[in-house]
């Protein structure tokens, strides 16, 4: 029973293409996140959704558009892919509430390679 | 904005020995949480240990323990009796206690374990 799943795990595509990464969580959490891990392994938040509503949008190019059809899903669509978009993208989820126990559960990551 | 600094890009330890990974952070908040995540070659993000800032007692989880110095804004991870399976990237992370905020990560420390 995978808590946070992402598809695909690997994605190789050409510059200029449009691609999507899907994320699903079966934990009943109401907050989901997208993080980007660059080639130097640095992890940084991109977006955060709470109950399908965008609450955090870091400085990310407009070519990146998250979509949350329901609480359990948060997809990431990327238009006009560029070489610099090559990275590992992690989805995560957590439950709203005060306290450290609303820890974030991470998906397995999607390695995107743009040629 | 909060920042997390890991000053050791790489560390190595002999099997069965003890190693300490350093982390410092900068924040003006008084309530927050600190985490250490492990990322093995499989790239899965695994929570190793967490610390609540309001707790003076250092967290421990089996062979993993932290040295939390709130005034110094320091949060080091000690791994005792190192095992080959401990070899991985280790990330220190900060999260505000207010709301369901995303994690702020350090740049990571790559730990090698020598047999």
């Amino acid at each position: 029973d995978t808590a946070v799943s992402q598809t695909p795990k690997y994605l190789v595509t050409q510059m200029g293409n449009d691609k999507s990464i899907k994320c699903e969580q079966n934990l009943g959490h109401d907050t989901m996140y997208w993080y980007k891990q660059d080639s130097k392994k640095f992890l940084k938040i991109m977006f955060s959704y709470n109950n399908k509503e965008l609450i955090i949008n870091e400085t990310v190019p407009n070519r990146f558009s998250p979509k949350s059809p329901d609480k359990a899903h948060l997809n990431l669509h990327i238009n006009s892919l560029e070489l610099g978009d090559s990275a590992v993208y992690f989805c995560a989820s957590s439950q709203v509430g005060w306290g450290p126990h609303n820890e974030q559960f991470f998906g397995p990551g999607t390695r995107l390679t743009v040629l | 904005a909060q920042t997390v600094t890991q000053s050791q890009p790489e560390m190595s330890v002999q099997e069965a020995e003890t190693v300490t990974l350093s982390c410092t952070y900068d924040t003006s908040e008084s309530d927050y949480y600190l985490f250490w995540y492990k990322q093995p070659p499989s790239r899965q993000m695994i929570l190793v240990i967490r610390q609540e800032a309001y707790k003076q007692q250092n967290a421990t989880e089996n062979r993993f323990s932290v040295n939390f110095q709130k005034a110094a804004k320091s949060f080091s991870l000690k791994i005792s009796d190192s095992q080959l399976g401990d070899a991985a990237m280790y990330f220190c992370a900060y999260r505000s206690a207010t709301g369901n905020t995303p994690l702020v990560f350090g740049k990571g420390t790559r730990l090698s374990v020598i047999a």
Side-chain angles (χ1 to χ4, degrees):
Chain A
D1 287 349
T2 305
V4 182
S5 60
Q6 291 180 230
T7 52
K9 288 199 172 66
Y10 297 92
L11 185 52
V12 180
T13 188
Q14 297 288 332
M15 240 178 9
N17 285 349
D18 303 338
K19 289 294 177 186
S20 292
I21 306 171
K22 296 185 176 182
C23 177
E24 177 181 1
Q25 54 95 2
N26 62 6
L27 298 166
H29 290 166
D30 48 21
T31 303
M32 296 183 73
Y33 312 82
W34 278 112
Y35 290 88
K36 178 180 179 180
Q37 186 174 40
D38 64 21
S39 58
K40 295 184 178 178
K41 301 290 189 183
F42 185 52
L43 274 152
K44 190 174 179 185
I45 186 69
M46 299 175 69
F47 302 103
S48 173
Y49 267 75
N50 179 259
N51 276 322
K52 303 192 298 174
E53 183 180 341
L54 180 66
I55 55 173
I56 289 176
N57 182 351
E58 291 295 312
T59 309
V60 176
N62 290 339
R63 300 181 294 102
F64 290 79
S65 54
K67 283 189 173 48
S68 182
D70 56 56
K71 232 171 61 164
H73 296 85
L74 179 61
N75 304 324
L76 183 64
H77 188 75
I78 316 170
N79 289 327
S80 304
L81 278 155
E82 300 177 357
L83 294 176
D85 297 332
S86 295
V88 178
Y89 293 85
F90 284 97
C91 178
S93 72
S94 66
Q95 181 62 33
V96 169
W98 194 88
H101 301 289
N102 55 341
E103 73 173 83
Q104 294 185 18
F105 290 79
F106 283 81
T110 296
R111 179 179 293 282
L112 171 64
T113 303
V114 182
L115 303 175
Chain B
Q2 296 81 22
T3 59
V4 177
T5 302
Q6 293 178 249
S7 58
Q8 306 152 317
E10 294 183 358
M11 291 280 286
S12 62
V13 62
Q14 293 279 348
E15 204 176 358
E17 296 294 308
T18 296
V19 65
T20 298
L21 308 185
S22 302
C23 173
T24 59
Y25 57 95
D26 189 27
T27 184
S28 58
E29 298 176 327
S30 57
D31 265 344
Y32 51 87
Y33 308 106
L34 296 164
F35 306 85
W36 278 98
Y37 279 86
K38 172 184 177 181
Q39 187 180 40
S42 67
R43 77 168 179 254
Q44 181 68 49
M45 294 293 289
I46 302 165
L47 178 65
V48 175
I49 198 164
R50 67 165 68 87
Q51 174 78 44
E52 297 94 312
Y54 63 85
K55 286 188 177 178
Q56 291 187 333
Q57 187 174 7
N58 289 324
T60 61
E61 285 287 343
N62 301 314
R63 297 183 295 108
F64 299 87
S65 61
V66 298
N67 183 2
F68 173 50
Q69 303 287 330
K70 190 172 184 180
K73 296 180 182 173
S74 169
F75 182 61
S76 61
L77 174 70
K78 186 171 86 171
I79 306 174
S80 304
D81 185 26
S82 297
Q83 300 174 0
L84 294 177
D86 295 334
M89 283 290 291
Y90 286 82
F91 293 95
C92 180
Y94 171 103
R95 185 172 71 76
S96 172
T98 55
N100 220 6
T101 52
L103 294 163
V104 178
F105 286 93
K107 292 190 175 182
T109 297
R110 182 179 300 280
L111 178 67
S112 302
V113 180
I114 303 164

